[in-house]
Amino acid sequence: MRIGLVLPMGDERGPGIPSSGREIFGFARDMEQAGFDSLWLFDHLQAYEGEAADPSATWEAWTLLAGLAATTERASLGTIVTCTGFRPPALLARMAHSVHEISGGRLILGLGAGWHEPEYRAFGYPFDHRYSRFEEALTVIRGMLVDGSSTFDGQYYRTNDARLLPPPTQPAPPILIGTHGPRMLALTAKYAQAYNTSWHALPAERWTKVKASLEQAGVTQRVTVGLMVKGDNASDDAFGVRCEPGALAEAFQRWAAEGIDELIVLLDPATVDRAERTVQALHDFRASTT
């Protein structure tokens, strides 16, 4: 089982939390060297603690991802997940192509339909018909990345021999879809190479329901699971695992026993100290499986 880590995005401030671009790049290199298999970014234009709260700062994901592609060497780089409503799909395909080439073929293209309406309102993007828009965007993105070009005349998006140039030197990046519901799972089965479900603690009732939904929808692709790691004084429950090496290593073992392909760890908050404890759990887990 591969284990990845969600990087801080500059939306939190506090002691030991990397927040500037340079700090995040340095943190990413440290986590790569510590042994994480993948590094992940959220895709938000504004971060909110709640509907009534003022938005907090967050870096733009794809600009940050391009920097990570140039400053890391081994770990896969992914979005968890990119909102297809924030950028025209043909442009997003070109952006993914550039990052994939810069990284030497390490991109995992996580895609989703988006969910946070205040961001759409703030930036003037349409929030209606998200399923239909997402399906059209997938058609364009997959056409460009897999076939090298797209000609498409949809209700929401149009392309006319939009080409992926310069020609790729790497195989197309795998598409990961983070979603739920029968129609969206059907798109996953049709277009994606991986599926993500988030955010979980230990395998429990919700995970059992997810597995049943995947089987019903015919989703046989790689499965990744987002693991929530809560604050230091929290207890393990349905919403997260304690940031303590023993508890985390046990959680890794429990998820590995479920046969998933990759576990993606989200630290809340993502301090350097908590990351170091997670690294210890990662090493303990790997030592127990060798």
Side-chain angles (χ1 to χ4, degrees):
M1 180 182 73
R2 288 164 50 91
I3 298 181
L5 181 70
V6 179
L7 298 174
M9 292 290 296
D11 53 346
E12 293 184 83
R13 296 291 189 273
I17 302 179
S19 57
S20 72
R22 288 185 178 275
E23 288 172 337
I24 293 170
F25 292 159
F27 180 76
R29 289 193 296 271
D30 290 343
M31 293 301 100
E32 179 182 55
Q33 292 170 7
F36 283 101
D37 299 298
S38 56
L39 304 170
W40 300 81
L41 296 178
F42 292 126
D43 184 23
H44 285 291
L45 301 177
Q46 293 181 165
Y48 291 82
E49 294 297 326
E51 289 294 328
D54 289 333
S56 59
T58 184
W59 294 109
E60 194 280 320
W62 281 93
T63 314
L64 202 62
L65 201 62
L68 290 169
T71 55
T72 58
E73 297 179 354
R74 176 192 56 81
S76 300
L77 303 173
T79 49
I80 187 167
V81 290
T82 276
C83 173
T84 57
F86 289 168
R87 304 164 189 86
L91 173 61
L92 180 56
R94 290 296 312 272
M95 293 163 61
H97 170 53
S98 294
V99 169
H100 196 48
E101 290 289 326
I102 293 169
S103 71
R106 292 184 286 132
L107 177 66
I108 300 172
L109 180 55
L111 300 174
W115 61 275
H116 200 235
E117 188 174 359
E119 289 180 278
Y120 286 79
R121 291 200 306 265
F123 285 83
Y125 298 142
F127 192 69
D128 62 290
H129 301 96
R130 283 181 297 146
Y131 170 83
S132 299
R133 293 178 186 275
F134 184 61
E135 183 174 25
E136 288 193 5
L138 276 174
T139 302
V140 172
I141 292 167
R142 188 181 185 281
M144 292 192 67
L145 293 177
V146 174
D147 302 327
S149 66
S150 170
T151 296
F152 180 76
D153 187 12
Q155 183 175 356
Y156 304 103
Y157 301 113
R158 293 172 179 81
T159 55
N160 181 17
D161 194 25
R163 301 187 186 187
L164 202 66
L165 296 172
T169 65
Q170 305 286 339
I175 292 175
L176 174 148
I177 294 182
T179 184
H180 57 84
R183 292 198 302 169
M184 296 293 277
L185 288 176
L187 292 181
T188 302
K190 180 178 179 180
Y191 288 104
Q193 288 74 52
Y195 168 81
N196 174 260
T197 174
S198 301
W199 296 99
H200 295 259
L202 299 175
E205 181 180 1
R206 186 161 72 91
W207 167 239
T208 300
K209 293 179 178 178
V210 169
K211 288 193 293 184
S213 297
L214 295 177
E215 183 177 355
Q216 185 176 5
V219 176
T220 59
Q221 289 88 335
R222 297 179 70 254
V223 173
T224 71
V225 171
L227 175 70
M228 174 67 74
V229 179
K230 296 168 49 175
D232 297 343
N233 297 321
S235 58
D236 297 343
D237 57 23
F239 301 101
V241 178
R242 285 173 293 132
C243 191
E244 188 276 319
L248 284 172
E250 180 182 354
F252 296 167
Q253 291 167 355
R254 293 274 297 275
W255 281 108
E258 291 292 315
I260 68 165
D261 297 284
E262 185 154 357
L263 194 65
I264 301 171
V265 177
L266 171 60
L267 301 175
D268 184 22
T271 65
V272 171
D273 175 68
R274 300 180 86 237
E276 289 172 349
R277 280 178 262 164
T278 306
V279 168
Q280 182 61 57
L282 174 67
H283 293 168
D284 291 346
F285 164 71
R286 289 194 171 143
S288 71
T289 58
T290 57

